[in-house]
């Protein structure tokens, strides 16, 4: 038996020491809906944003973690390296990110007939992929 989901989406936690810039990117540039913040056990704060039915959690520990994620996106290391949103406005999102000063590491590229991707980098160096289908 597999997992018995109660929600047809995931929650994704992104740990940062740079909350203002991360909120500017995810809330203001990408337009995620801010749900509020809360204190977290062990010290720190979690900012909760909705991306469709998925919750993106910007987590700010009270003590900075001893390490940061390896840079370089997909080829930089093993483990979680990027995440994908299926969008209907890929051109608009890439333009907003570019105009906001965020690096576009993969410009809009057709990967199959009717399917395109683009990848941008958030303020902490995490890769975010836009997927456009049909």
């Amino acid at each position: 038996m597999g997992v018995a989901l109660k929600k047809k989406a995931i929650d994704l936690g992104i740990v940062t020491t740079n909350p203002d810039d991360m909120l500017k990117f995810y809330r203001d540039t990408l337009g995620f809906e801010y749900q509020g913040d809360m204190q977290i056990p062990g010290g720190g704060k979690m900012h909760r944003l909705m991306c469709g039915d998925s919750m993106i959690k910007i987590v700010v520990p009270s003590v900075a973690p001893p390490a940061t994620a390896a840079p370089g996106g997909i080829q930089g290391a093993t483990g979680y390296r990027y995440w994908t949103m299926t969008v209907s406005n890929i051109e608009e999102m890439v333009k907003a990110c570019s105009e906001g000063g965020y690096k576009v590491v993969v410009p809009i590229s057709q990967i199959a007939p009717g399917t395109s991707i683009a990848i941008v980098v958030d303020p902490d160096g995490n890769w975010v992929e836009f997927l456009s289908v049909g």
Side-chain angles (χ1 to χ4, degrees):
M1 175 182 177
V3 65
L5 293 176
K6 296 278 288 183
K7 174 178 153 182
K8 292 186 183 260
I10 65 163
D11 293 356
L12 174 68
I14 304 171
V15 177
T16 187
T17 58
N18 185 18
D20 294 338
D21 288 341
M22 293 291 276
L23 286 169
K24 181 180 174 191
F25 177 75
Y26 287 101
R27 180 192 59 211
D28 303 338
T29 302
L30 298 187
F32 292 2
E33 182 181 338
Y34 193 78
Q35 299 292 297
D37 60 63
M38 61 184 283
Q39 296 301 309
I40 56 175
K45 185 181 279 188
M46 175 192 300
H47 300 276
R48 300 179 329 271
L49 302 106
M50 293 304 293
C51 172
D53 292 332
S54 295
M55 180 175 287
I56 307 304
K57 304 171 186 178
I58 306 298
V59 178
V60 187
S62 56
V63 176
T68 59
I74 295 167
Q75 282 78 25
T78 59
Y80 296 112
R81 304 304 300 157
Y82 70 101
W83 62 285
T84 305
M85 292 174 280
T86 302
V87 300
S88 62
N89 62 342
I90 192 169
E91 294 89 0
E92 178 183 327
M93 294 314 306
V94 170
K95 181 179 180 190
C97 291
S98 181
E99 288 177 353
Y102 304 106
K103 186 174 182 180
V104 178
V105 291
V106 176
I108 298 172
S109 305
Q110 186 173 5
I111 59 169
T115 303
S116 296
I117 64 164
I119 301 176
V120 299
V121 181
D122 79 8
D124 279 2
N126 303 301
W127 284 24
V128 178
E129 179 182 46
F130 301 114
L131 171 68
S132 176
V133 180

